[in-house]
Amino acid sequence: MIEERKRQLNSCDPHQPAVLSQKDSAACSLQASIASKLNKVDIPKYEMPSKPIPLIINESGRTVDSSGLEIQLTQHVPTLKANIRAQKRTELPPQAKEEPEEKKEEGPGFFDPRVGMRGATRAKRVMKFHDAGKFQAEAQRLRMKTQLEKLQSEISSIAR
């Protein structure tokens, strides 16, 4: 199964025509166009060193090369705007802000006479409580009424 899939993928060679489905032919044409574009672009070949360059420090703590000459390593330069702003603040002394002269007001510029007046106030409502036992008495009255109706209906049914 895997070998068949590898053969299918390898059969998608842009230089070799083959009978493929529509999706396969579209994929092959896309791969061919990508390959041609990559061939046009000149990418410099850079060979990575097999081992990192050793860091040698002398007795005074300075970085030196293999021959013993001092090397100046590149310093990290802050790139965030906040860091750059902080650097500028330390380099430049803060400028004295000029305060505009304050105007002395002899009185209020505009006086609204309605501000001191009180608006219409609403009288507070007093809480009204029901008399104690009012609803209990009403319930008892309803019970008595239903009992009376029941007795009347029994009497009338016996009388017939």
Side-chain angles (χ1 to χ4, degrees):
M1 174 97 175
I2 296 173
E3 293 171 4
E4 291 175 16
R5 184 68 181 145
K6 284 182 181 179
R7 273 189 252 123
Q8 286 176 350
L9 291 173
N10 288 337
S11 69
C12 192
D13 187 17
H15 305 294
Q16 181 183 35
V19 178
L20 301 171
S21 69
Q22 188 177 6
K23 287 184 179 179
D24 291 338
S25 62
C28 285
S29 65
L30 184 61
Q31 284 179 350
S33 67
I34 291 171
S36 67
K37 288 179 183 177
L38 283 176
N39 289 337
K40 290 178 185 177
V41 176
D42 185 29
I43 300 173
K45 301 285 182 181
Y46 180 74
E47 193 171 315
M48 296 293 289
S50 60
K51 293 182 180 179
I53 300 169
L55 180 67
I56 304 169
I57 300 175
N58 64 5
E59 302 84 32
S60 61
R62 295 190 176 119
T63 308
V64 294
D65 61 357
S66 58
S67 63
L69 298 173
E70 287 187 17
I71 300 174
Q72 191 69 15
L73 295 177
T74 57
Q75 294 290 327
H76 173 70
V77 179
T79 55
L80 290 175
K81 292 236 182 204
N83 293 341
I84 294 170
R85 285 188 199 121
Q87 249 184 355
K88 286 182 181 177
R89 272 191 226 119
T90 57
E91 291 172 0
L92 299 174
Q95 297 176 353
K97 294 182 180 178
E98 295 180 15
E99 295 182 16
E101 295 180 18
E102 294 182 25
K103 296 179 182 178
K104 293 182 180 179
E105 295 184 16
E106 295 177 6
F110 176 78
F111 178 73
D112 190 359
R114 296 173 292 173
V115 172
M117 295 172 34
R118 292 192 143 260
T121 56
R122 192 176 124 189
K124 292 187 178 182
R125 295 174 81 184
V126 180
M127 294 182 75
K128 295 180 184 176
F129 293 100
H130 294 284
D131 297 330
K134 173 184 175 185
F135 295 106
Q136 291 173 346
E138 188 177 336
Q140 187 63 33
R141 191 171 37 88
L142 284 173
R143 283 189 214 108
M144 294 296 281
K145 187 177 179 182
T146 55
Q147 189 178 7
L148 179 65
E149 287 175 0
K150 188 176 179 184
L151 285 173
Q152 285 178 347
S153 66
E154 284 180 16
I155 292 171
S156 64
S157 66
I158 292 172
R160 290 185 191 169

